Amino acid sequence: MTFDVVIGCEVHVQLFTETKAFCGCGNTFGGVPNSRVCPVCAGLPGALPSPNARMIEYAVRAGLVLNCSIAGLTKFDRKNYMYPDLPKGYQISQFDMPICFDGFLDIEGEWGSRKIGIIRAHLEEDAGKNLHSEDGAGLSYVDLNRCGTPLLEIVSEPDMRSPEEAVAYVQEIRELMEWIGVSDCNMEEGSLRCDANINLWIYEGEKKYATPITEVKNVNSFRALRAALHFEVKRQRAEWEEKRLTLEEVGKVTRGWHEASGTTILQRHKEEASEYRYFPEPDLKPILVSKALVEELKAGLPELPARTRNRFVTDYGITMEDAVQLTSSRAMSCYFEDACREYDGEPKKIANWILTEVNGICNQKNIGIAEFPVPPSGIRELLAMTDSGRISGRIAKSVFAEMAETGAAAVEIVEKNGLAQISDRSTLEGIVREVIAGHPKSVEDYRNGKSNTIRFLVGQVMKKTGGKANPGMVNEILEEKLKP
Amino acid sequence: MTLTELKAAMERGDLSAKDAVAAFRDEYLEDCKHPQPLNCYIEFFDDALAKAEKADAARAKGEGGGLCGLPLAVKDNILVEGKPLTCASGVLKGFTAPYSATVVDRLVSDGMIVTGRTNMDEFGMGSSCEYSIYGPTRNPVDRELTPGGSSGGSAAAVASRMAPAALGTETGGSVRLPAAFCGVYGLKPSYGTLSRYGVVAFGSSLDQIGMLARSPDDIALLLASCSGADRHDATSEESGLEEILPLRPKEIGGVRAALPEEFFGEGIDPEIKEKVKAFASYLERNGAVVEPLSLPILKSAVAMYYIIAPAEASSNLARYDGIRYGFRSDDAVTLEDLYTSSRSKGFGKEVKRRIFLGNYVLSSGYYDAYYKKAQQVRTILCSGLAGVFDTYDIIVSPTSPCTPFRIGEKVDDPLSMYLTDICTTFVNLALLPSLSVPCGKTRAGLPVGVQIVGKRFSEALLLGIAKTYHESGGT
């Protein structure tokens, strides 16, 4: 039996606008339940939505990088259903006139390159959250903080042929959305959510059968997405061999990923899904998206990561591997470029410094580069001081640690602590003389041909100077003095 | 006294706001003792008198806004901060408005005092003010009759002098019909003139706050204070009506008026026809061009209305689910039960009827046949009317096909109740302004209203014509 795996994804991206989609409440994560709720989010009698212009701009920007067409005229619709965390009894969404449509993304991997079609990307508001007490009292609570958060739902064609491709596709979306600054795409906080639709096309002789489509819900990491899809491939294959159920017979079912057991569990058959009774949202006027606005937003888009990576390699002479790491986020790539600006030395040094020292501290403190206290100019200044020989590489590391701790400038720290490298020849000659006098055995060994001994003597000079002696110069003076 | 007269009296110092509010309250308290109270107020606010005293103090200091101390009654589906709001429905029992509607907010900022909340048909659904958990409102002209709905409480309060003016709301004629039945002025402004923020939605694309008062000037006074775009309502617009004062009488000479044949044919009370024709000849006598007009699509307006309004209502009323506020049934076990039981007990018969109707016309099997078709016909209606206004300034018709009917007469016959809206609904569908003007009484002494409809944002013209008519002493 041969078969193809067929996967399509619906990705919900939370747009990172300052305020919610249809009211002035702050759009941030978490918080004391129901602390960011106004009459509009709570769906109180008489409350009306008023659309957030920034949300429209974000959606257009997202659509542009997803290679979509942008609708000149778009509108909102109501999707009616009852649920405790949906205070109005309907969700404001888009039905037949989505803001973005007909796009694609190219994804690359061991399968080569594949073009994944994007059917549409539409705006909608998020619902709240139900919290169920675990103390056995059977009580449920409703938190409306998330109500009205703007979402962009990106719906792909069923163009992916393996779980790996699906993961790569969602990762690509995540990178792009984060890169253009429309979302932080934090999967744990739910600002990027993915429902994957998967089935198999089974080939038996001349015949092709499609197995029932499973919509996999509740995957909140890439690892979970991959595992859930692999599980489904196995499950659907086994089900086919046992029951030979087809898509026509069963239709679509929803299954939730259960992390602990590593399985998907049947939630409901799609046919039982409620009837949404979509109709145009009468509280909002249709929205005209002018060509001029689209052009303006297009012009304001940053260079996309793939291009940035290539440019880093050619412009800064760093390896592709380093470039990939430096473009893992837009903040990181900007940090690198800002640090390189007006730097006379090798950009590679800055790249190394960021990828080892800066990342090290960020990981240790569990912060992103955006919150890192040393500005890019700080890295540049620090490295310029080592390049000019004012401080040694070893001292630079300790200076940097203090910079990251206190936010002080490198020059200040060096001056305050007297860390400048000693490059004064007569001072160093004096110290070298003392060391030679204090270690006659080593001197003798050196003169007897054990040239390695000089390292020990250099070390002694460094020890005496607290690491500040210019090592090159010390070496030179020692060699001169030790000549028989 | 009209609102305008009250304003002048207060400005002259002849009357205090406190005395004015006290007089309206006394009228209300007196009526409560009647064996058949009018029941136009659901609640006369306890703090109205204290607010009037404050207004008097503010006026003494030269502060207080242009409408300082003037009383206003507000329909129970418009939010007044800190006051209960029920839409005359069981489902909202116990709800207190946490904010004020924009329109109320603007009028209060200008100094008005809200005297109380007035009775209505539940959620604005009805044409008789009988579908209310507080019982029916009676018509001050004859207590056996209905005041018309759904803003019947507001109209009756103005007609019985328990308030100089009142806010109502309209989805298909709910301000104009009771205005005609009670013999007062009722304006449905152009859609978008007044913010709907804080007005409990019935049919969002049709809803509009309207005003009931005893003179065109009074209505202009209110419009000037509360119209204009509101950032809380994306469908609100700048209409320029803040500039409507002083309201100028409109020279009737040269006005071009159309009389749609559809509203003068069968089904219209002959005495009403006679009165409206008399109004038309008044216009003609004073130099207006009055011509009959045939626009058959007007006959479909009620059908369109009873598809679109319930469709939107079914969605707008979904929020009353018993979860966050209002009435919650206490005998539910599962979530599904909670919804079903709370809504079954909370909503009245007419509201349920329209929710069912709305869900039906929106359901996937019938959407194209009903809702979509109605929207298409609505577009045709709008363009047809736009064509009419290329030639004419106003459309003149009866406000209602019948005179006030008896309480209980049509409650069990929803279709005949729906037909009382035949002259008014097209206005809401086409987003136009329309004014109901009292134009005399039938031989039985029942008030008749004539409706004047203009193009969008032509409120000043409609009120100006009414003012000329009013000042001339009518027909």
Side-chain angles (χ1 to χ4, degrees), chain B residues 183-357:
Chain B
V184 298
Y185 287 87
L187 175 76
K188 195 270 328 177
S190 313
Y191 188 80
T193 297
L194 301 179
S195 169
R196 290 183 295 115
Y197 188 70
V199 179
V200 174
F202 164 8
S204 306
S205 73
L206 307 154
D207 290 350
Q208 198 54 193
I209 290 184
M211 287 109 172
L212 294 129
R214 287 202 295 277
S215 84
D217 281 305
D218 292 3
I219 290 175
L221 198 60
L222 296 171
L223 268 185
S225 164
C226 65
S227 65
D230 171 21
R231 65 187 173 87
H232 289 301
D233 177 0
T235 61
S236 66
E237 283 182 48
E238 286 306 341
S239 57
L241 290 171
E242 304 91 303
E243 314 293 331
I244 197 171
L245 293 177
L247 180 66
R248 299 190 196 290
K250 170 75 187 166
E251 187 67 45
I252 303 291
V255 169
R256 293 162 300 167
L259 265 49
E261 285 167 359
E262 287 74 16
F263 298 145
F264 289 91
E266 219 174 305
I268 311 282
D269 184 309
E271 275 200 81
I272 292 179
K273 257 190 262 186
E274 193 183 300
K275 290 285 164 199
V276 175
K277 288 266 167 74
F279 176 81
S281 47
Y282 162 84
L283 294 178
E284 222 163 11
R285 275 200 314 279
N286 289 280
V289 178
V290 180
E291 286 171 358
L293 166 89
S294 174
L295 196 60
I297 200 165
L298 290 177
K299 283 194 163 164
S300 319
V302 172
M304 266 179 258
Y305 175 81
Y306 277 97
I307 290 168
I308 293 169
E312 292 181 3
S314 69
S315 170
N316 283 329
L317 266 49
R319 66 186 64 194
Y320 308 106
D321 57 5
I323 301 286
R324 282 149 289 118
Y325 51 80
F327 171 74
R328 179 190 289 187
S329 171
D330 53 13
D331 59 3
V333 180
T334 66
L335 179 63
E336 192 88 14
D337 283 350
L338 179 66
Y339 289 144
T340 310
S341 177
S342 299
R343 291 167 67 85
S344 301
K345 291 179 185 170
F347 286 125
K349 191 170 72 176
E350 181 59 23
V351 173
K352 283 181 204 161
R353 180 159 31 228
R354 297 201 197 188
I355 292 174
F356 281 123
L357 191 58

Side-chain angles (χ1 to χ4, degrees), chain B residues 23-24 27-28 31 38-41 137-141 143 152-164 182 184 214:
Chain B
F24 291 118
E27 193 66 47
Y28 163 72
D31 181 66
L38 292 176
N39 198 23
C40 42
Y41 277 106
T137 297
R138 294 175 182 276
N139 193 322
V141 177
R143 290 177 190 248
S154 290
V158 173
S160 65
R161 298 172 196 252
M162 290 186 206
C182 295
V184 298
R214 287 202 295 277

Side-chain angles (χ1 to χ4, degrees), chain B residues 19-20 60 89 104 116 126 238 295 369 384 386 432 439 449-450 463 472:
Chain B
D19 289 345
S89 177
V104 169
E238 286 306 341
L295 196 60
L432 303 173
C439 68
V450 60
L463 291 164
S472 75

Side-chain angles (χ1 to χ4, degrees), chain A residues 39 42-48 50-51 78 80 82-84 87-90 275 277-280 282-285, chain B residues 79 95 98-99 196-199 204 231-235 237 315-316 319-320 324-325 335 339 359 362-364 367 371:
Chain A
L44 290 189
L48 294 173
S50 57
R78 289 191 186 174
N80 294 283
M82 301 281 275
Y83 209 62
K88 298 192 294 292
Y90 57 84
E275 228 239 75
R277 302 186 316 279
Y278 279 101
F279 74 100
D283 287 328
L284 296 167
K285 288 182 188 168
Chain B
L79 280 78
F95 179 73
Y99 69 103
R196 290 183 295 115
Y197 188 70
V199 179
S204 306
R231 65 187 173 87
H232 289 301
D233 177 0
T235 61
E237 283 182 48
S315 170
N316 283 329
R319 66 186 64 194
Y320 308 106
R324 282 149 289 118
Y325 51 80
L335 179 63
Y339 289 144
N359 282 337
L362 285 177
S363 61
S364 57
Y367 182 91
Y371 183 80

